[in-house]
């Protein structure tokens, strides 16, 4: 019985992941960083990392989940939670519908339970295709519900961050999500549970200034842009060119804000190892 | 007074002669002792903090500092704190908890400073840490938004039991100029942005983001600073008296619920996940 449901869940995730497969190109893919052309199949085989320069292509949320979770373990949480329009902002509803049609997502975050290396956990993934992964009240609510679900069931929590910052159309309520998610993490942490945040390209604005920076362990994908203010704003403020590599994952590691920069090919194994290292009483 | 547009309120909120943190400290407290430094690397003058007596009760006072003269403005970076400022604020809040003092914060900032060094020292982490720690403080926390409260830079001092707002203060995700430039790639449309952002005190009270509105004299606080400070005093003492009746854990629990409810989507609530069949 169990295996039939697991197979069906696995097929569902695989289908969603396939639709998420949005690395540009038909048969050939041009890497936006080094400009080289590669067979799309070769890029896909390397987990959407450029075989030439190691550029990590952004991943859709379901695609990411299919890469991280054990096959058949995926179960989505609060899938149907949709963005509201709290400020009655002109044109926002239409934009939401367009983003939903374009991406097949309901919001800029997908949360789920599953296992990684056989260990049950709660995983949230932000998707930068949906309103730049910006923090709407619904995204804040989904992340908070995932934190609360993990706290209630005493499960470790992994959040993959990718965000352009606040959802402008939700104004101050977008800002309040920073307080809400951070407060939920404080309660989660008091229970002695593990939270790993994984910073992917780009992690900026309100997400950086809340849950992205609050992991017990903070990992980052190579080359990911990570910061509070965006590079354009900083450049305008200080009026000089920013140094090479500024705000990239490696820079944040060097400045003490990231525990480890982990290439995509090692991410699953690393997460699995960290979950194992935090098992209560050291049982394996 | 009732007919001011959002853009007019923004202009009043930014008036250079508007009472600032120093005026509030002089007008509301006695025996103020300033405490400097984050104990990690630096003192950030954009945030002023210390201990003082408020109606003979020791309190911790923290506020963003905008200067009134050019010289003072430069010294305190126009009220835009860096991570050191937020870490100093957190240090003082933890101290307040140790000595069981209420925390009173005053917010007037165009936002956290978007600079190279601020980023290098973890502006995002510093703000995140404040939100996290403030949510569980077991002493009363009251915030007064006195001028502009923009972005995470304001929120990092405003995870409070009561968020009070002066009538012409504004509180927003970012400045109207920044908002217009991000949304329409045109900072010149900032007045239009003001109208849409719901950043005025009456708007925010209606949205449930703030808890009270403190009246200002006709034309704005800068025209009658002493009267404004009296109004702030009246509101502060009323709210503080109510909070002092609550136990520490109760305060933290209620504060959590207050922020937990913000922006809960009215849309399709999802069913809890099914259990394994």
């Amino acid at each position: 019985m169990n295996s039939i449901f697991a197979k069906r869940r696995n097929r569902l995730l695989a289908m969603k992941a396939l639709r998420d497969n949005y690395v540009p190109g038909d048969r050939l893919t041009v890497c936006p960083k080094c400009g080289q052309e590669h067979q799309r199949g070769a890029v896909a085989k390397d987990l959407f990392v450029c075989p030439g320069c190691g550029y990590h292509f952004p991943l859709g949320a379901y695609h990411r989940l299919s890469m991280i979770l054990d096959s058949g373990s995926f179960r989505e949480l609060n899938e149907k939670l949709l963005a509201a329009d709290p400020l009655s902002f002109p044109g926002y509803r239409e934009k939401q519908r367009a983003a939903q049609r374009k991406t097949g997502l309901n919001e800029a975050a997908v949360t789920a339970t599953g296992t990684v290396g056989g260990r049950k956990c709660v995983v949230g993934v932000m998707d930068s295709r949906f309103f730049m992964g910006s923090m709407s009240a619904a995204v804040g609510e989904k992340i908070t519900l995932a934190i609360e679900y993990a706290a209630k069931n005493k499960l470790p929590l992994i959040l993959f961050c990718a965000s352009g910052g606040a959802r402008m159309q939700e104004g101050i309520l977008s800002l309040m999500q920073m307080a809400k998610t951070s407060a939920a993490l404080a309660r989660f942490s008091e229970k002695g549970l593990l939270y790993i945040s994984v910073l992917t390209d780009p992690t900026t604005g309100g997400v950086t200034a809340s849950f992205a920076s609050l992991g017990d362990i903070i990992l980052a994908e190579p080359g990911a842009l990570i910061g509070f203010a965006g590079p354009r704003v900083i450049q305008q403020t200080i009026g000089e060119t920013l140094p090479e590599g500024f705000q990239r994952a490696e820079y944040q590691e060097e400045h003490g804000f990231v525990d480890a920069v982990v290439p995509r090919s090692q991410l699953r194994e690393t997460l699995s190892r960290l979950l194992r290292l935090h098992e209560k009483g050291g049982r394996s | 007074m009732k007919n001011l547009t959002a853009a007019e309120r923004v202009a009043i909120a930014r008036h250079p002669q508007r009472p600032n943190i120093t005026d509030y400290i002089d007008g509301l407290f006695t025996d103020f002792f300033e405490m400097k430094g984050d104990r990690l690397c630096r003192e950030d003058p954009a945030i002023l903090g210390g201990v003082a007596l408020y109606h003979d009760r020791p309190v911790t006072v923290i506020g963003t500092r905008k200067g009134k003269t050019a010289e003072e403005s430069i010294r305190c970076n126009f009220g835009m704190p860096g991570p050191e400022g937020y870490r100093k604020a957190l240090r003082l809040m933890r101290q307040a908890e140790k000595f069981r003092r209420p925390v009173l914060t005053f917010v007037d900032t165009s936002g956290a400073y978007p600079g190279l060094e601020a980023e290098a020292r973890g502006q995002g982490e510093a703000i995140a840490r404040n939100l996290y720690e403030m949510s569980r403080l077991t002493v009363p926390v009251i915030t007064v938004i006195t001028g502009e409260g923009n972005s995470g830079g304001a929120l990092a001092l405003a995870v409070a039991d009561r968020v009070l707002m002066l009538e012409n203060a504004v509180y927003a995700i970012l400045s109207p100029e920044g908002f217009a430039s991000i949304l329409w790639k045109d900072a010149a449309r900032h007045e239009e942005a003001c109208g849409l952002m719901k950043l005025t005190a009456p708007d925010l009270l209606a949205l449930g983001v703030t808890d009270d509105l403190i009246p200002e004299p006709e034309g704005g606080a800068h025209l009658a600073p002493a009267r404004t400070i009296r109004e702030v005093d009246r509101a502060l003492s009323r709210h503080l008296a109510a909070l002092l009746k609550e136990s520490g854990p109760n305060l933290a629990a209620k504060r959590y619920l207050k922020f937990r409810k913000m922006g809960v989507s009215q849309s399709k609530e999802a069913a809890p996940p099914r259990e394994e069949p």
Side-chain angles (χ1 to χ4, degrees):
Chain A
M1 231 353 221
N2 259 339
S3 79
I4 295 173
F5 283 101
K7 262 188 199 152
R8 189 179 293 170
R9 278 199 298 270
N10 198 33
R11 213 176 307 137
L12 182 72
L13 180 61
M15 269 164 51
K16 287 189 165 179
L18 204 64
R19 196 175 51 189
D20 257 15
N21 212 332
Y22 71 110
V23 171
D26 190 6
R27 288 182 52 207
L28 287 177
T29 296
V30 180
C31 170
K33 195 178 164 208
C34 68
Q36 279 184 49
E37 272 190 345
H38 295 284
Q39 292 290 331
R40 197 173 185 284
V43 178
K45 206 170 126 261
D46 284 355
L47 307 173
F48 294 92
V49 175
C50 171
C53 71
Y55 170 76
H56 283 52
F57 286 86
L59 292 180
Y62 290 107
H63 193 177
R64 171 76 72 180
L65 284 162
S66 74
M67 267 183 197
I68 293 296
L69 294 177
D70 298 337
S71 158
S73 69
F74 166 78
R75 286 195 300 144
E76 187 159 354
L77 298 170
N78 304 299
E79 182 183 356
K80 298 215 164 60
L81 211 138
L82 299 171
D85 183 9
L87 305 188
S88 307
F89 200 91
Y92 182 38
R93 283 286 186 200
E94 291 72 50
K95 279 198 164 172
Q96 285 173 1
R97 275 194 287 273
Q100 283 159 356
R101 270 198 304 275
K102 192 186 105 196
T103 61
L105 296 165
N106 280 338
E107 248 300 351
V110 175
T111 54
T113 65
T115 60
V116 177
R119 288 175 181 80
K120 198 162 185 209
C121 54
V122 172
V123 184
V125 184
M126 301 186 78
D127 194 315
S128 61
R129 292 170 304 160
F130 195 98
F131 276 86
M132 306 272 291
S134 57
M135 183 122 84
S136 65
V139 168
E141 184 66 17
K142 263 182 141 171
I143 299 285
T144 306
L145 287 169
I147 298 167
E148 289 175 341
Y149 182 86
K152 188 170 165 230
N153 295 285
K154 299 197 166 46
L155 293 171
L157 171 73
I158 304 170
L159 296 178
F160 286 83
C161 305
S163 178
R167 181 80 53 90
M168 291 299 135
Q169 294 87 345
E170 298 192 18
I172 193 84
L173 291 168
S174 176
L175 189 71
M176 292 302 135
Q177 304 312 307
M178 295 166 60
K180 183 163 101 182
T181 52
S182 302
L185 281 172
R187 292 196 144 195
F188 173 83
S189 189
E190 279 166 8
K191 297 201 161 186
L193 297 164
L194 170 69
Y195 164 40
I196 303 173
S197 66
V198 186
L199 314 185
T200 69
D201 191 46
T203 299
T204 61
V207 168
T208 301
S210 61
F211 56 86
S213 295
L214 294 170
D216 296 299
I217 297 169
I218 303 181
L219 308 178
E221 282 200 332
L225 180 79
I226 301 159
F228 177 59
R232 199 171 47 89
V233 177
I234 298 169
Q235 202 151 323
Q236 278 169 7
T237 311
I238 64 171
E240 42 189 291
T241 325
L242 298 169
E244 179 75 23
F246 177 65
Q247 290 185 316
R248 295 289 162 185
E250 297 73 14
Y251 174 96
Q252 297 293 2
E253 185 185 47
E254 194 184 313
H255 283 79
F257 293 101
V258 162
D259 288 289
V261 177
V262 183
R264 198 170 282 167
S265 59
Q266 292 167 29
L267 202 47
R268 189 184 142 82
E269 198 279 322
T270 305
L271 289 171
S272 168
R273 186 151 57 104
L274 288 172
L275 293 181
R276 194 173 70 234
L277 284 167
H278 288 81
E279 293 241 301
K280 292 274 177 299
R283 66 198 150 80
S284 57
Chain B
M1 205 68 204
K2 296 276 175 277
N3 297 324
L4 288 177
T5 65
E8 284 163 342
R9 288 192 202 266
V10 170
I12 294 176
R14 290 177 179 172
H15 195 284
Q17 294 312 315
R18 195 168 170 83
N20 69 5
I21 180 69
T22 327
D23 299 317
Y24 287 110
I25 287 178
D26 290 347
L28 295 169
F29 306 104
T30 54
D31 278 316
F32 177 68
F33 179 78
E34 183 180 357
M35 294 194 256
K36 293 178 188 161
D38 63 357
R39 297 292 189 272
L40 295 163
C41 70
R42 185 176 162 236
E43 153 66 7
D44 182 358
I47 288 183
L48 174 64
V51 59
L53 293 178
Y54 180 61
H55 297 292
D56 291 327
R57 172 187 299 279
V59 294
T60 290
V61 185
I62 301 167
T64 52
R65 169 158 54 185
K66 272 187 188 173
K68 283 192 175 170
T69 64
E71 197 184 323
E72 197 193 353
S73 299
I74 291 167
R75 198 173 66 79
C76 58
N77 200 24
F78 301 87
M80 291 184 284
E84 302 82 12
Y86 295 113
R87 291 182 182 131
K88 170 173 70 179
L90 182 56
R91 177 171 82 83
L92 300 190
M93 288 190 258
R94 285 191 173 132
Q95 220 174 69
E97 188 162 49
K98 173 179 172 185
F99 296 110
R100 311 306 304 163
R101 296 193 285 257
V103 175
L104 308 179
T105 70
F106 295 81
V107 173
D108 181 14
T109 178
S110 57
Y113 184 61
L116 195 148
E117 296 210 325
E119 290 291 316
R121 298 202 187 113
Q123 185 76 285
E125 194 275 342
I127 294 171
R129 193 61 56 192
N130 277 20
L131 306 179
Y132 182 100
E133 295 294 345
M134 281 187 90
S135 77
R136 56 178 191 178
L137 287 176
T138 55
V139 289
V141 185
I142 304 178
T143 294
V144 188
I145 315 269
T146 61
E148 283 179 283
N150 283 349
S151 95
L155 183 63
L157 298 178
V159 183
D161 302 307
R162 301 277 197 281
V163 179
L164 321 179
M165 227 177 136
L166 278 174
E167 189 176 350
N168 294 312
V170 292
Y171 188 18
I173 185 82
L174 81 177
S175 70
E177 290 82 0
F179 186 90
S181 117
I182 288 182
L183 206 57
W184 305 310
K185 311 262 175 276
D186 184 3
R189 288 170 71 181
H190 59 92
E191 287 202 8
E192 189 182 341
C194 290
L196 294 171
M197 287 171 77
K198 305 248 162 57
L199 42 65
T200 68
D203 282 341
L204 291 164
L205 193 59
L207 280 172
V209 170
T210 56
D211 303 287
D212 205 352
L213 181 154
I214 304 173
E216 279 185 40
E218 185 99 21
H222 58 283
L223 296 174
R227 229 168 81 206
T228 307
I229 290 167
R230 268 203 308 279
E231 289 290 349
V232 171
D233 186 22
R234 200 168 301 158
L236 264 183
S237 18
R238 190 175 72 242
H239 286 287
L240 185 59
L243 294 174
L244 284 167
K245 290 185 190 133
E246 306 256 3
S247 75
N250 230 353
L251 285 168
K254 284 189 177 168
R255 192 181 314 124
Y256 178 78
L257 285 178
K258 173 179 142 90
F259 285 90
R260 178 65 190 84
K261 281 188 289 199
M262 288 199 190
V264 174
S265 171
Q266 299 91 21
S267 48
K268 278 186 265 177
E269 268 301 325
R274 288 183 309 266
E275 280 313 304
E276 288 287 347

